[in-house]
Amino acid sequence: MSQATGSSYSLKVTKASQKESLGIAFNTVNDEVRVAAIDPSGPLASTALKEGDRILAVNGMPSTGKPASYTAAVLRKSKGDVEILVSFDEEDNSMRSADNSMRSAEHPEPVETDYLIVEESKAEESPVSDEAASSMSLMIGQIIFLVQVGVGTSLFLLYDYGSVDDFSMIKYSTFRDIMVMLLLGFGYLMTFLEKYGLSSVGLTMLLTALNMECNLVVESMFTGHRVISLDAIIDAEFSAATLLISFGALIGRATPLQMCALSLFQSVFYAANKVFLVFGYFGAEDVGGTMTIHMFGAFFGLAAAYALGPQNKPSASNNAASKVSDVFAFVGTTLLWVYWPSFVGATETASDRNEMLCLTNTIMALIGSTGATFYLSQELNKGKFDAVHIQNSTLAGGVAIGSTARLAMGPGTALIVGMVAGAISVLGYFYGSPFLEKKLGLYDTCGVANLHGLPSVLGGLLSVVMVYVYQPDAAEDILQHEVGTQSVMQLAAVVGTLVVAIGSGYMSGSILLPSSFDFEDYEDAVWWIMED
């Protein structure tokens, strides 16, 4: 369907999937993206579009002044309703009908390569050279070496083991469960990028180890407890989880070197927000890390992604999934789902009551978000499920319940929290992500705004009410303030975490993420030895 207005018109077409071909070729003429050819058997052949028309925008994203390859990449990535803003010369208007009717005769053979780019000298992206990639890899090695030397020296001179009285195999089991979440859950969840699977899993492992090392030193310096115990190691896992959430917003666009540097910055800001602000000054209730982990990680990563800027590279089209990569991502989802209750209740193994509440409330919330996600996904997609929704939004209940998991809210309330979180997450993927890209130029690769950001804000705000309504028994003594005051502190912790995360994320991204050379985004071959 097309709507003409003077010398411009809006063309709308529907793509069932990213891989569907629209059968159109572009070139660049005087910094304008022009239609070079149209497949007579393609879906655009029967529209008002004709060769020579100028492409002004695709889905609200301007094309003027950008290479034709950028417009091609945006179209490749699009799915569902696609709106193309087109203009043409007034003197050509009278010939449009005739030209369209003759198109099949002029081009009897279909265009062989969809979105073919012709006669364009500056469209192709300059991949990073082998020398540049090798240089960056050496710098990654230098960062790893310096971190390990610094941490190792600190541990040797200043630290000792924790007390054997504080050790238990239950804590080790908790450590193991969380590590499965980090290395396998987060790692495989991000393998939906069909050309970036090695980096998704491999860099997850590197960043987890690097961030845990830093946190063991930084957080203990802030708290004054310079011992290496299982409690300290589990806290370091929480820090790594925060980094991996931020990684989800930047994966494929930030280089491994930049992510290693970012992990050092974030380990300091994360620990400061957690120790001094949320649990220190405000004394907030946040047993499962809704604010300190999910909210901080999501908005730190989103702010860094905003500092990185919009995705203008032709290789943006590499940000695509295949059936196989989606199945691997589902493996990550199921592992996260199974082990999430252990994550939320990790600090409560000494209290049977608190641990029971954490585990039960988290399980009910996950059940709620799973049901809501499957329902709303097919409602929004005309009876079919969207893999992105199911891979991510089913976990939103675990994010939202974290702040209030050890409150005796009742299993029904926990289920409702999960249902609301799952619905908000799906709506975020369906409406929020396109809005962020079109209006703010904020490209969130994995949609952490929808899985971690929105549900964490929901959970934080709900905690303001729930700590007032569901007061724990006096014997439990888990809240730091009196009725009313605790609610105020919960709200203050939400606002404070958002301010610190966004401010530190944008600053870190502005310093670390600008690149002096181009490389192909979402492509393993840039950073890994690839077998033929």
Side-chain angles (χ1 to χ4, degrees):
M1 182 180 71
S2 58
Q3 298 173 334
T5 306
S7 60
S8 65
Y9 62 94
S10 175
L11 178 70
K12 293 184 178 180
V13 65
T14 300
K15 287 182 65 183
S17 67
Q18 289 182 336
K19 294 183 179 296
E20 181 180 353
S21 168
L22 292 182
I24 184 172
F26 302 107
N27 60 12
T28 301
V29 179
N30 297 326
D31 288 331
E32 295 178 336
V33 177
R34 299 266 185 162
V35 177
I38 300 173
D39 182 354
S41 63
L44 296 176
S46 59
T47 67
L49 193 68
K50 91 177 195 61
E51 293 175 15
D53 283 353
R54 291 182 290 269
I55 305 297
L56 303 181
V58 176
N59 285 338
M61 302 166 71
S63 298
T64 304
K66 297 177 180 178
S69 51
Y70 169 75
T71 299
V74 173
L75 276 176
R76 287 193 197 101
K77 185 181 175 183
S78 299
K79 183 176 71 172
D81 293 333
V82 180
E83 183 174 5
I84 307 173
L85 184 61
V86 186
S87 70
F88 56 89
D89 297 328
E90 287 284 357
E91 56 268 24
D92 294 337
N93 194 31
S94 60
M95 296 295 294
R96 298 183 68 77
S97 297
D99 286 345
N100 282 344
S101 65
M102 292 187 296
R103 183 177 296 136
S104 181
E106 293 172 357
H107 300 282
E109 297 297 328
V111 178
E112 293 183 3
T113 305
D114 200 8
Y115 312 130
L116 181 66
I117 303 164
V118 295
E119 299 176 5
E120 182 182 13
S121 59
K122 62 179 182 179
E124 293 300 323
E125 183 177 356
S126 299
V128 63
S129 66
D130 290 340
E131 292 78 7
S134 297
S135 175
M136 292 184 67
S137 296
L138 289 173
M139 294 177 69
I140 295 171
Q142 291 168 358
I143 289 180
I144 297 171
F145 176 77
L146 290 174
V147 168
Q148 294 198 316
V149 168
V151 171
T153 301
S154 298
L155 295 180
F156 182 78
L157 296 176
L158 303 174
Y159 288 75
D160 200 351
Y161 295 112
S163 171
V164 69
D165 294 333
D166 294 330
F167 172 81
S168 71
M169 283 302 296
I170 294 176
K171 290 183 179 180
Y172 174 73
S173 297
T174 300
F175 157 80
R176 184 179 57 201
D177 289 353
I178 297 175
M179 194 56 71
V180 170
M181 290 183 68
L182 299 181
L183 300 186
L184 300 180
F186 279 104
Y188 278 92
L189 180 62
M190 291 186 276
T191 58
F192 76 93
L193 295 165
E194 63 176 340
K195 294 186 176 182
Y196 211 64
L198 283 175
S199 298
S200 297
V201 179
L203 295 183
T204 292
M205 190 174 196
L206 169 61
L207 295 175
T208 296
L210 195 65
N211 187 267
M212 287 180 65
E213 285 185 274
C214 294
N215 179 265
L216 285 170
V217 173
V218 173
E219 189 165 331
S220 64
M221 290 292 184
F222 289 165
T223 61
H225 302 303
R226 297 178 185 175
V227 295
I228 302 301
S229 62
L230 276 178
D231 291 328
I233 293 172
I234 289 171
D235 281 337
E237 288 181 311
F238 291 153
S239 177
T242 307
L243 174 65
L244 295 181
I245 292 168
S246 300
F247 182 39
L250 298 162
I251 186 171
R253 299 187 64 203
T255 69
L257 172 63
Q258 289 169 330
M259 284 308 308
C260 286
L262 199 68
S263 73
L264 306 184
F265 276 58
Q266 193 189 61
S267 65
V268 176
F269 293 118
Y270 160 80
N273 179 70
K274 172 187 172 182
V275 174
F276 297 127
L277 201 65
V278 177
F279 294 146
Y281 186 78
F282 294 127
E285 171 67 5
D286 191 39
V287 65
T290 293
M291 290 181 274
T292 56
I293 298 173
H294 300 287
M295 186 182 294
F296 188 91
F299 287 96
F300 184 98
L302 291 170
Y306 183 74
L308 181 58
Q311 173 56 281
N312 293 328
K313 294 182 179 180
S315 56
S317 60
N318 289 342
N319 183 1
S322 67
K323 185 176 180 180
V324 172
S325 66
D326 271 336
V327 169
F328 274 102
F330 269 118
V331 172
T333 300
T334 54
L335 288 169
L336 286 169
W337 205 107
V338 169
Y339 289 103
W340 206 293
S342 294
F343 183 87
V344 173
T347 62
E348 301 305 305
T349 55
S351 170
D352 290 341
R353 174 182 169 80
N354 289 348
E355 188 170 27
M356 178 203 71
L357 290 172
C358 286
L359 298 181
T360 304
N361 287 335
T362 303
I363 292 168
M364 296 309 298
L366 287 168
I367 291 172
S369 59
T370 300
T373 297
F374 273 92
Y375 169 76
L376 193 55
S377 181
Q378 57 88 28
E379 282 291 319
L380 294 173
N381 291 286
K382 301 176 181 178
K384 293 188 176 182
F385 302 115
D386 188 325
V388 173
H389 299 161
I390 310 306
Q391 289 160 356
N392 295 278
S393 300
T394 52
L395 303 170
V399 175
I401 203 68
S403 285
T404 53
R406 60 179 176 175
L407 296 178
M409 66 182 71
T413 302
L415 183 75
I416 292 172
V417 170
M419 291 170 62
V420 176
I424 288 177
S425 179
V426 172
L427 292 173
Y429 278 105
F430 198 82
Y431 296 109
S433 293
F435 175 83
L436 293 177
E437 292 182 5
K438 294 176 185 178
K439 301 300 182 182
L440 300 181
L442 197 166
Y443 283 74
D444 175 9
T445 305
C446 290
V448 300
N450 310 309
L451 171 53
H452 300 278
L454 295 176
S456 69
V457 172
L458 170 69
L461 295 178
L462 285 176
S463 74
V464 175
V465 177
M466 288 190 177
V467 296
Y468 184 85
V469 175
Y470 301 106
Q471 281 289 308
D473 296 336
E476 295 300 323
D477 193 27
I478 61 174
L479 300 183
Q480 302 300 309
H481 303 283
E482 298 295 328
V483 178
T485 303
Q486 187 69 53
S487 293
V488 174
M489 291 304 179
Q490 293 297 123
L491 181 60
V494 170
V495 175
T497 297
L498 287 172
V499 170
V500 174
I502 294 171
S504 60
Y506 184 78
M507 182 193 71
S508 301
S510 299
I511 294 172
L512 300 174
L513 296 183
S515 179
S516 59
F517 58 87
D518 287 331
F519 62 93
E520 191 170 358
D521 286 349
Y522 319 109
E523 176 55 71
D524 277 333
V526 177
W527 311 109
W528 297 80
I529 297 173
M530 303 293 290
E531 298 293 337
D532 294 333

